[in-house]
Amino acid sequence: MPWPRARELAREAGAAGAAPVGEVPLARALGATLGADLVSAVDVPVLDSAAMDGYAVSGGGPWTVLGRTLAGHRGPVARLDGGEAVEVATGAVVPDGTTSVLPYEHAVPDPSGPGAGGAGRVAGHLNGETAPGRHLRLRGETTPAGAVVARAGHPVTPVLLGLAASLGRDTLPVLRPRVRVLVTGDEVVREGVPRPGAVRDAIGPVLPGLVAWAGGDCAPPDLLADRRGDLDQALETVPGTDLVAVCGSSSAGPADHLRAALTALGARFAVDGVACRPGHPQVLAVLPSGALVVGLPGNPGAALTAALTLLVPALSGRAGRRDPAHTGRRVRLIGETRPHPRDVRLVPVRVSRDLAVELPSSGSADLRAAAVADALAVVPPVRVPGRVELVGLPW
Protein backbone atom coordinates (compact mmCIF):
# COMPACT_ATOMS: atom_id res chain seq x y z
CA MET A 1 0.00 0.00 0.00
CA PRO A 2 1.33 3.51 -0.74
CA TRP A 3 2.70 5.18 2.38
CA PRO A 4 0.40 8.28 2.26
CA ARG A 5 -2.67 6.07 1.93
CA ALA A 6 -1.58 3.88 4.85
CA ARG A 7 -1.40 6.95 7.10
CA GLU A 8 -4.88 8.03 6.00
CA LEU A 9 -6.38 4.61 6.70
CA ALA A 10 -4.70 4.45 10.10
CA ARG A 11 -6.22 7.80 11.02
CA GLU A 12 -9.67 6.71 9.81
CA ALA A 13 -9.50 3.41 11.69
CA GLY A 14 -8.58 5.20 14.90
CA ALA A 15 -11.30 7.82 14.53
CA ALA A 16 -13.93 5.13 13.90
CA GLY A 17 -13.90 4.18 17.58
CA ALA A 18 -13.75 6.96 20.16
CA ALA A 19 -12.09 6.38 23.50
CA PRO A 20 -14.35 6.91 26.54
CA VAL A 21 -14.31 10.29 28.27
CA GLY A 22 -13.25 10.16 31.91
CA GLU A 23 -13.08 12.85 34.59
CA VAL A 24 -9.58 12.82 36.08
CA PRO A 25 -7.71 15.01 38.60
CA LEU A 26 -5.57 17.76 37.11
CA ALA A 27 -2.41 15.97 38.26
CA ARG A 28 -3.27 13.03 35.97
CA ALA A 29 -4.58 14.97 32.97
CA LEU A 30 -1.30 16.18 31.44
CA GLY A 31 -0.87 14.94 27.87
CA ALA A 32 -4.45 13.70 27.52
CA THR A 33 -7.05 15.20 25.17
CA LEU A 34 -9.92 17.36 26.33
CA GLY A 35 -13.08 15.30 26.00
CA ALA A 36 -15.42 18.32 26.21
CA ASP A 37 -15.17 22.08 25.83
CA LEU A 38 -13.62 23.73 28.88
CA VAL A 39 -16.06 26.44 29.97
CA SER A 40 -15.35 28.92 32.75
CA ALA A 41 -17.92 28.72 35.53
CA VAL A 42 -16.59 31.87 37.23
CA ASP A 43 -15.41 35.35 36.39
CA VAL A 44 -11.62 35.77 36.50
CA PRO A 45 -10.84 37.83 38.43
CA VAL A 46 -13.88 37.22 40.60
CA LEU A 47 -13.87 40.88 41.75
CA ASP A 48 -12.12 44.10 40.69
CA SER A 49 -8.50 43.82 41.82
CA ALA A 50 -5.15 45.62 41.72
CA ALA A 51 -2.68 44.87 38.94
CA MET A 52 0.19 46.69 40.72
CA ASP A 53 1.44 47.37 44.23
CA GLY A 54 0.41 50.90 45.19
CA TYR A 55 -2.82 52.67 46.04
CA ALA A 56 -6.41 52.10 44.95
CA VAL A 57 -7.73 55.62 44.44
CA SER A 58 -11.07 57.21 43.69
CA GLY A 59 -11.19 60.21 41.35
CA GLY A 60 -8.36 62.69 41.09
CA GLY A 61 -5.80 63.58 43.79
CA PRO A 62 -4.90 64.54 46.33
CA TRP A 63 -6.14 61.48 48.24
CA THR A 64 -6.47 60.58 51.86
CA VAL A 65 -5.17 57.08 52.63
CA LEU A 66 -7.66 55.14 54.77
CA GLY A 67 -5.61 51.98 55.38
CA ARG A 68 -4.11 48.92 53.67
CA THR A 69 -5.51 45.91 51.76
CA LEU A 70 -3.47 42.75 51.07
CA ALA A 71 -4.35 39.93 48.68
CA GLY A 72 -6.61 37.41 50.36
CA HIS A 73 -7.61 39.75 53.20
CA ARG A 74 -10.58 42.00 53.85
CA GLY A 75 -9.83 45.69 53.39
CA PRO A 76 -10.45 48.53 55.84
CA VAL A 77 -13.30 50.02 53.77
CA ALA A 78 -15.91 48.61 51.39
CA ARG A 79 -16.20 51.74 49.26
CA LEU A 80 -14.07 54.74 48.33
CA ASP A 81 -15.48 58.17 47.76
CA GLY A 82 -13.75 60.82 45.65
CA GLY A 83 -10.40 61.87 47.11
CA GLU A 84 -9.97 58.63 49.14
CA ALA A 85 -7.43 55.82 48.73
CA VAL A 86 -6.24 52.55 50.29
CA GLU A 87 -2.81 50.97 49.99
CA VAL A 88 -3.05 47.72 47.99
CA ALA A 89 -0.89 44.75 47.03
CA THR A 90 -1.02 43.17 43.59
CA GLY A 91 -4.06 40.89 43.38
CA ALA A 92 -5.87 42.49 46.30
CA VAL A 93 -9.58 43.18 45.86
CA VAL A 94 -10.12 46.93 45.59
CA PRO A 95 -13.04 48.74 47.23
CA ASP A 96 -16.09 49.78 45.26
CA GLY A 97 -15.61 53.25 43.83
CA THR A 98 -11.96 52.62 42.85
CA THR A 99 -11.18 54.33 39.56
CA SER A 100 -7.51 53.34 39.16
CA VAL A 101 -4.43 52.04 40.96
CA LEU A 102 -1.55 54.46 41.54
CA PRO A 103 1.81 52.55 41.68
CA TYR A 104 4.15 53.33 44.57
CA GLU A 105 6.71 54.83 42.21
CA HIS A 106 4.18 57.36 40.90
CA ALA A 107 2.90 58.40 44.33
CA VAL A 108 4.20 61.65 45.84
CA PRO A 109 3.49 63.12 49.28
CA ASP A 110 0.91 65.86 49.41
CA PRO A 111 2.57 68.94 50.98
CA SER A 112 -0.62 69.59 52.90
CA GLY A 113 -0.47 66.11 54.44
CA PRO A 114 1.63 64.63 57.23
CA GLY A 115 4.53 63.66 54.95
CA ALA A 116 6.07 60.55 53.39
CA GLY A 117 6.61 57.10 54.79
CA GLY A 118 9.70 54.91 54.22
CA ALA A 119 10.90 53.33 50.98
CA GLY A 120 8.93 55.76 48.82
CA ARG A 121 5.57 54.76 50.27
CA VAL A 122 3.29 57.65 51.13
CA ALA A 123 1.08 57.56 54.22
CA GLY A 124 -1.73 59.88 55.19
CA HIS A 125 -2.11 62.08 52.09
CA LEU A 126 -0.70 61.63 48.59
CA ASN A 127 -0.86 62.94 45.08
CA GLY A 128 0.20 61.68 41.65
CA GLU A 129 -0.72 61.22 38.01
CA THR A 130 -3.05 58.37 36.98
CA ALA A 131 -5.71 57.70 34.37
CA PRO A 132 -9.11 56.06 34.88
CA GLY A 133 -8.86 52.26 34.77
CA ARG A 134 -5.07 52.26 34.97
CA HIS A 135 -3.54 49.14 36.65
CA LEU A 136 -7.01 47.91 37.54
CA ARG A 137 -8.22 44.39 36.69
CA LEU A 138 -11.99 44.42 36.37
CA ARG A 139 -14.20 41.50 37.29
CA GLY A 140 -14.26 38.96 34.45
CA GLU A 141 -11.72 40.94 32.44
CA THR A 142 -9.38 37.97 31.97
CA THR A 143 -12.09 35.33 31.58
CA PRO A 144 -15.83 36.01 31.90
CA ALA A 145 -18.11 33.29 33.25
CA GLY A 146 -19.49 31.16 30.41
CA ALA A 147 -16.49 31.70 28.13
CA VAL A 148 -15.13 28.66 26.24
CA VAL A 149 -11.42 28.71 27.04
CA ALA A 150 -10.41 25.50 25.20
CA ARG A 151 -12.24 23.25 22.75
CA ALA A 152 -12.71 19.51 22.93
CA GLY A 153 -9.84 17.77 21.13
CA HIS A 154 -7.20 20.17 22.43
CA PRO A 155 -4.18 18.53 24.09
CA VAL A 156 -3.96 19.09 27.83
CA THR A 157 -0.73 21.08 28.07
CA PRO A 158 0.99 22.33 31.24
CA VAL A 159 -0.40 25.82 30.58
CA LEU A 160 -3.92 24.51 30.07
CA LEU A 161 -3.66 22.80 33.48
CA GLY A 162 -2.76 26.15 35.02
CA LEU A 163 -5.70 27.78 33.27
CA ALA A 164 -8.07 25.09 34.53
CA ALA A 165 -6.81 25.58 38.07
CA SER A 166 -7.31 29.35 37.79
CA LEU A 167 -10.95 28.65 36.92
CA GLY A 168 -11.40 26.62 40.09
CA ARG A 169 -11.33 23.22 38.37
CA ASP A 170 -10.00 20.18 40.25
CA THR A 171 -10.70 17.70 37.43
CA LEU A 172 -10.93 17.65 33.65
CA PRO A 173 -12.93 15.49 31.21
CA VAL A 174 -10.33 13.79 29.04
CA LEU A 175 -9.78 11.13 26.41
CA ARG A 176 -6.72 8.94 26.84
CA PRO A 177 -6.75 5.71 24.80
CA ARG A 178 -4.82 2.86 26.35
CA VAL A 179 -2.02 1.19 24.42
CA ARG A 180 -0.65 -2.25 25.23
CA VAL A 181 2.78 -3.18 23.93
CA LEU A 182 3.73 -6.78 23.17
CA VAL A 183 7.41 -7.34 22.37
CA THR A 184 7.90 -10.76 20.78
CA GLY A 185 11.06 -12.79 20.41
CA ASP A 186 12.91 -15.53 22.31
CA GLU A 187 16.09 -13.47 21.89
CA VAL A 188 14.77 -10.26 23.45
CA VAL A 189 15.80 -9.21 26.97
CA ARG A 190 14.69 -6.08 28.82
CA GLU A 191 17.72 -5.29 30.99
CA GLY A 192 21.48 -5.64 31.27
CA VAL A 193 24.07 -6.45 28.61
CA PRO A 194 22.57 -9.11 26.35
CA ARG A 195 24.23 -12.51 26.22
CA PRO A 196 25.58 -13.74 22.87
CA GLY A 197 22.65 -14.29 20.54
CA ALA A 198 20.29 -12.07 22.57
CA VAL A 199 19.28 -8.44 21.98
CA ARG A 200 17.95 -5.69 24.21
CA ASP A 201 14.42 -4.46 23.65
CA ALA A 202 15.13 -1.07 22.06
CA ILE A 203 11.66 -0.20 20.75
CA GLY A 204 9.80 -0.83 24.03
CA PRO A 205 11.43 2.24 25.64
CA VAL A 206 10.58 4.36 22.56
CA LEU A 207 6.86 3.66 22.43
CA PRO A 208 5.68 5.26 25.71
CA GLY A 209 6.95 8.64 24.54
CA LEU A 210 5.37 8.26 21.11
CA VAL A 211 2.11 7.14 22.68
CA ALA A 212 1.99 10.05 25.13
CA TRP A 213 2.80 12.46 22.27
CA ALA A 214 -0.25 11.19 20.39
CA GLY A 215 -2.51 11.45 23.44
CA GLY A 216 -2.47 7.87 24.73
CA ASP A 217 -1.48 6.02 27.88
CA CYS A 218 1.10 3.28 27.38
CA ALA A 219 1.30 0.26 29.68
CA PRO A 220 4.76 -1.24 30.39
CA PRO A 221 5.77 -3.61 27.58
CA ASP A 222 5.10 -7.34 27.93
CA LEU A 223 7.70 -9.72 26.56
CA LEU A 224 6.32 -12.75 24.69
CA ALA A 225 8.14 -15.83 23.51
CA ASP A 226 7.95 -16.79 19.84
CA ARG A 227 4.96 -19.08 20.43
CA ARG A 228 1.68 -18.70 18.60
CA GLY A 229 -0.32 -19.66 21.68
CA ASP A 230 1.17 -16.85 23.76
CA LEU A 231 0.26 -14.28 21.11
CA ASP A 232 -3.27 -15.70 20.73
CA GLN A 233 -3.85 -15.47 24.46
CA ALA A 234 -2.55 -11.88 24.66
CA LEU A 235 -4.85 -10.71 21.85
CA GLU A 236 -8.02 -12.58 22.82
CA THR A 237 -8.81 -10.39 25.84
CA VAL A 238 -8.07 -6.93 24.42
CA PRO A 239 -10.85 -4.41 25.34
CA GLY A 240 -12.52 -2.72 22.40
CA THR A 241 -11.23 0.74 23.24
CA ASP A 242 -7.61 -0.30 23.34
CA LEU A 243 -4.80 -0.27 20.81
CA VAL A 244 -2.16 -2.98 20.80
CA ALA A 245 1.32 -2.54 19.36
CA VAL A 246 2.99 -5.86 18.56
CA CYS A 247 6.74 -5.46 18.06
CA GLY A 248 8.19 -8.21 15.88
CA SER A 249 6.15 -11.06 14.39
CA SER A 250 4.86 -8.78 11.60
CA SER A 251 6.93 -10.25 8.77
CA ALA A 252 6.64 -13.65 7.09
CA GLY A 253 9.33 -15.66 8.87
CA PRO A 254 8.87 -18.96 10.73
CA ALA A 255 8.55 -17.11 14.08
CA ASP A 256 6.16 -14.42 12.80
CA HIS A 257 2.69 -15.43 13.96
CA LEU A 258 0.81 -12.12 14.02
CA ARG A 259 -1.11 -12.43 10.75
CA ALA A 260 -2.23 -15.97 11.53
CA ALA A 261 -3.32 -14.99 15.03
CA LEU A 262 -5.29 -12.00 13.74
CA THR A 263 -6.95 -14.07 11.03
CA ALA A 264 -8.01 -16.69 13.57
CA LEU A 265 -9.57 -13.96 15.71
CA GLY A 266 -11.63 -12.66 12.78
CA ALA A 267 -9.72 -9.39 12.45
CA ARG A 268 -10.17 -7.10 9.46
CA PHE A 269 -6.86 -6.05 7.87
CA ALA A 270 -6.93 -2.34 7.08
CA VAL A 271 -3.25 -2.22 6.10
CA ASP A 272 -1.04 -5.21 5.29
CA GLY A 273 2.38 -3.99 4.24
CA VAL A 274 3.37 -0.43 3.37
CA ALA A 275 5.57 0.79 0.53
CA CYS A 276 8.15 2.50 2.73
CA ARG A 277 11.72 1.87 3.84
CA PRO A 278 12.54 1.11 6.53
CA GLY A 279 9.44 -0.52 7.97
CA HIS A 280 7.53 -2.04 5.05
CA PRO A 281 6.35 -5.26 6.86
CA GLN A 282 3.80 -3.48 9.06
CA VAL A 283 0.17 -4.31 9.76
CA LEU A 284 -2.97 -2.53 10.96
CA ALA A 285 -5.95 -4.71 11.85
CA VAL A 286 -9.31 -4.17 13.56
CA LEU A 287 -10.47 -6.89 15.96
CA PRO A 288 -14.20 -7.74 16.19
CA SER A 289 -14.23 -5.88 19.53
CA GLY A 290 -13.17 -2.68 17.76
CA ALA A 291 -9.66 -2.73 19.21
CA LEU A 292 -6.83 -1.86 16.85
CA VAL A 293 -3.69 -3.95 16.47
CA VAL A 294 -0.60 -2.41 14.91
CA GLY A 295 2.15 -4.80 13.90
CA LEU A 296 5.62 -3.26 13.96
CA PRO A 297 8.83 -4.78 12.57
CA GLY A 298 11.35 -6.15 15.05
CA ASN A 299 14.23 -3.93 13.96
CA PRO A 300 14.12 -0.72 16.05
CA GLY A 301 14.64 1.77 13.23
CA ALA A 302 11.98 0.09 11.11
CA ALA A 303 9.64 -0.12 14.10
CA LEU A 304 10.00 3.61 14.68
CA THR A 305 9.02 4.54 11.13
CA ALA A 306 6.15 2.04 11.21
CA ALA A 307 4.91 3.52 14.50
CA LEU A 308 4.92 6.98 12.93
CA THR A 309 3.09 5.60 9.88
CA LEU A 310 0.33 3.60 11.59
CA LEU A 311 0.36 3.78 15.40
CA VAL A 312 0.58 7.56 15.88
CA PRO A 313 -2.14 8.44 13.30
CA ALA A 314 -4.45 5.71 14.62
CA LEU A 315 -3.93 6.72 18.22
CA SER A 316 -4.40 10.43 17.62
CA GLY A 317 -7.56 9.63 15.63
CA ARG A 318 -8.95 7.63 18.53
CA ALA A 319 -8.00 10.43 20.93
CA GLY A 320 -9.83 12.95 18.74
CA ARG A 321 -6.83 15.19 18.15
CA ARG A 322 -4.46 16.23 15.39
CA ASP A 323 -1.77 13.78 14.27
CA PRO A 324 1.38 15.36 15.77
CA ALA A 325 3.65 13.66 13.24
CA HIS A 326 1.79 15.27 10.34
CA THR A 327 3.63 18.60 10.27
CA GLY A 328 2.49 19.82 6.86
CA ARG A 329 5.95 21.28 6.51
CA ARG A 330 8.10 20.99 3.39
CA VAL A 331 11.80 21.80 3.16
CA ARG A 332 14.75 21.46 0.83
CA LEU A 333 16.71 18.25 1.45
CA ILE A 334 20.49 17.86 1.32
CA GLY A 335 21.72 14.27 1.46
CA GLU A 336 22.98 11.17 -0.32
CA THR A 337 19.79 9.08 -0.30
CA ARG A 338 18.40 8.36 -3.72
CA PRO A 339 14.75 7.48 -4.42
CA HIS A 340 13.75 3.82 -4.23
CA PRO A 341 12.08 2.49 -7.40
CA ARG A 342 8.77 1.77 -5.61
CA ASP A 343 8.90 2.76 -1.94
CA VAL A 344 8.99 5.97 0.05
CA ARG A 345 12.23 6.39 1.98
CA LEU A 346 12.11 7.96 5.46
CA VAL A 347 15.45 9.45 6.42
CA PRO A 348 16.46 11.18 9.68
CA VAL A 349 17.39 14.85 9.23
CA ARG A 350 18.44 17.93 11.15
CA VAL A 351 16.37 20.96 10.20
CA SER A 352 17.30 24.62 10.08
CA ARG A 353 14.68 27.01 8.73
CA ASP A 354 13.72 25.62 5.29
CA LEU A 355 16.71 23.28 4.94
CA ALA A 356 17.00 19.63 6.07
CA VAL A 357 20.34 17.86 6.20
CA GLU A 358 20.31 14.06 6.10
CA LEU A 359 22.02 12.23 8.96
CA PRO A 360 24.04 9.09 8.15
CA SER A 361 22.25 5.87 9.10
CA SER A 362 23.28 2.23 8.80
CA GLY A 363 19.90 0.62 8.20
CA SER A 364 16.66 -0.57 9.72
CA ALA A 365 18.22 -1.67 13.03
CA ASP A 366 19.89 1.68 13.69
CA LEU A 367 18.43 4.31 16.04
CA ARG A 368 21.52 6.52 16.27
CA ALA A 369 20.52 8.97 13.55
CA ALA A 370 16.87 9.13 14.61
CA ALA A 371 17.90 9.69 18.24
CA VAL A 372 19.45 13.07 17.37
CA ALA A 373 17.20 13.98 14.43
CA ASP A 374 14.66 16.80 14.32
CA ALA A 375 12.38 14.97 11.89
CA LEU A 376 12.19 12.33 9.18
CA ALA A 377 12.29 13.52 5.58
CA VAL A 378 10.01 11.75 3.09
CA VAL A 379 11.80 10.85 -0.13
CA PRO A 380 9.15 9.67 -2.63
CA PRO A 381 9.83 6.95 -5.23
CA VAL A 382 9.91 9.43 -8.11
CA ARG A 383 11.51 12.51 -6.69
CA VAL A 384 11.47 15.70 -8.62
CA PRO A 385 13.58 18.69 -7.65
CA GLY A 386 11.98 20.74 -4.93
CA ARG A 387 10.87 20.34 -1.36
CA VAL A 388 10.16 17.18 0.66
CA GLU A 389 7.66 16.55 3.43
CA LEU A 390 8.77 16.32 7.08
CA VAL A 391 7.40 13.78 9.55
CA GLY A 392 7.58 15.17 13.08
CA LEU A 393 9.29 13.54 16.05
CA PRO A 394 8.28 14.16 19.66
CA TRP A 395 11.70 15.31 20.70
Side-chain angles (χ1 to χ4, degrees):
M1 178 177 293
W3 178 79
R5 181 57 179 157
R7 295 177 80 191
E8 293 174 359
L9 288 176
R11 174 78 182 183
E12 292 171 5
V21 177
E23 197 79 20
V24 302
L26 295 187
R28 291 174 44 209
L30 182 63
T33 305
L34 272 180
D37 290 349
L38 180 57
V39 180
S40 178
V42 298
D43 289 319
V44 180
V46 294
L47 294 170
D48 296 351
S49 59
M52 293 279 288
D53 294 331
Y55 298 89
V57 301
S58 180
W63 301 278
T64 300
V65 181
L66 303 181
R68 173 184 292 171
T69 300
L70 301 178
H73 296 273
R74 181 186 293 273
V77 295
R79 181 176 183 83
L80 295 177
D81 293 323
E84 294 179 338
V86 292
E87 187 179 5
V88 291
T90 300
V93 174
V94 300
D96 290 344
T98 298
T99 56
S100 65
V101 172
L102 179 70
Y104 284 133
E105 56 268 29
H106 296 165
V108 295
D110 178 16
S112 64
R121 301 186 181 187
V122 182
H125 300 270
L126 64 135
N127 214 328
E129 294 292 331
T130 184
R134 186 69 171 158
H135 304 307
L136 190 61
R137 292 195 184 108
L138 300 180
R139 175 178 178 172
E141 177 182 293
T142 301
T143 306
V148 177
V149 298
R151 294 289 184 184
H154 195 284
V156 180
T157 63
V159 178
L160 191 142
L161 286 177
L163 175 61
S166 74
L167 303 178
R169 296 294 296 260
D170 296 318
T171 62
L172 283 176
V174 299
L175 299 168
R176 181 174 271 152
R178 295 185 301 170
V179 177
R180 295 179 60 194
V181 177
L182 307 177
V183 180
T184 66
D186 294 338
E187 78 283 11
V188 179
V189 296
R190 72 166 79 231
E191 59 184 19
V193 177
R195 67 185 185 279
V199 296
R200 277 290 296 270
D201 169 26
I203 193 60
V206 172
L207 290 180
L210 285 175
V211 166
W213 183 49
D217 181 33
C218 190
D222 293 321
L223 295 186
L224 298 183
D226 281 324
R227 290 193 293 268
R228 165 74 185 276
D230 290 359
L231 187 56
D232 287 346
Q233 185 176 4
L235 294 176
E236 282 172 352
T237 57
V238 178
T241 58
D242 276 6
L243 289 84
V244 182
V246 181
C247 306
S249 198
S250 68
S251 191
D256 296 321
H257 305 300
L258 180 59
R259 285 174 177 78
L262 290 171
T263 299
L265 290 171
R268 175 180 64 84
F269 287 82
V271 177
D272 190 357
V274 178
C276 70
R277 292 176 184 264
H280 64 278
Q282 51 185 292
V283 175
L284 173 64
V286 185
L287 293 175
S289 66
L292 299 182
V293 179
V294 178
L296 307 177
N299 281 324
L304 172 64
T305 58
L308 293 167
T309 302
L310 296 181
L311 178 61
V312 170
L315 181 55
S316 60
R318 184 142 295 188
R321 66 200 274 178
R322 180 185 65 84
D323 178 357
H326 199 296
T327 67
R329 187 177 175 189
R330 302 184 71 85
V331 297
R332 293 182 294 123
L333 176 64
I334 296 178
E336 299 297 325
T337 294
R338 295 292 175 262
H340 186 273
R342 298 174 304 279
D343 299 344
V344 160
R345 291 193 188 274
L346 300 165
V347 297
V349 292
R350 297 299 299 269
V351 182
S352 177
R353 297 184 181 178
D354 70 339
L355 188 67
V357 179
E358 180 183 348
L359 297 172
S361 177
S362 60
S364 62
D366 186 13
L367 286 177
R368 289 179 302 170
V372 296
D374 298 318
L376 301 182
V378 181
V379 180
V382 180
R383 184 183 173 193
V384 296
R387 297 176 180 270
V388 297
E389 180 185 349
L390 288 182
V391 175
L393 295 171
W395 46 89

